[in-house]
Amino acid sequence: MAEYNEKLEDLLDHHLIANEELEKRKQGGGIGYLINGNMCLGIYKDLLVARIGERLASSLVDRPGIRKYLPDKGLYDDFVMIEEQVYSHTKALQKFIDQSISYTGRLPAKDHGKTQHDSQ
């Protein structure tokens, strides 16, 4: 049995199938969707994880079904975790997807293959 919601994975895959800039990766007991090496969307247990920017995230965390993303490795202020009661609504899901892609697509690319030392 998967450690994350496979139904949510299918739903995200359906919404993201035409987006060629996203890379899907299993990580941390869930699934991550990355743009240029930066996590954009993810699935953790039954929660949708969305990287939407610090300003928008802080304005939404007090709403029902939305909370701060608090992984074991620390706090990520530009991420939120969204419960099924919110992402089960197609329009809400699409808004989170669009915002995540827009925000993350503007971040500098991460090069996981090289370190600063390697490029010298």
Side-chain angles (χ1 to χ4, degrees):
M1 184 173 184
E3 297 176 23
Y4 60 90
N5 186 329
E6 292 177 332
K7 190 171 152 185
L8 176 55
E9 178 184 14
D10 290 342
L11 186 61
L12 282 178
D13 287 348
H14 174 76
H15 280 269
L16 301 171
I17 195 162
N19 191 319
E20 295 178 4
E21 65 183 338
L22 285 168
E23 174 191 352
K24 181 177 166 182
R25 228 188 254 173
K26 289 192 178 198
Q27 56 187 44
I31 295 286
Y33 296 83
L34 291 77
I35 296 176
N36 295 322
N38 294 298
M39 184 157 147
C40 176
L41 294 158
I43 303 168
Y44 175 73
K45 298 184 180 181
D46 283 331
L47 301 168
L48 170 65
V49 178
R51 188 176 206 167
I52 57 174
E54 189 173 342
R55 186 180 310 152
L56 182 57
S58 66
S59 72
L60 295 177
V61 295
D62 292 330
R63 294 188 181 185
I66 302 173
R67 57 186 191 241
K68 288 182 179 182
Y69 178 56
L70 299 166
D72 295 337
K73 298 176 185 169
L75 174 64
Y76 294 80
D77 290 332
D78 55 350
F79 287 89
V80 290
M81 295 191 307
I82 305 147
E83 296 176 8
E84 185 174 9
Q85 69 191 40
V86 176
Y87 70 71
S88 63
H89 298 278
T90 304
K91 287 183 180 181
L93 176 62
Q94 192 61 55
K95 279 187 171 186
F96 280 109
I97 289 171
D98 293 345
Q99 182 63 36
S100 295
I101 290 171
S102 174
Y103 175 77
T104 309
R106 295 189 307 262
L107 297 174
K110 285 189 177 180
D111 183 3
H112 294 290
K114 295 181 180 178
T115 65
Q116 185 177 9
H117 178 72
D118 292 339
S119 61
Q120 293 178 354

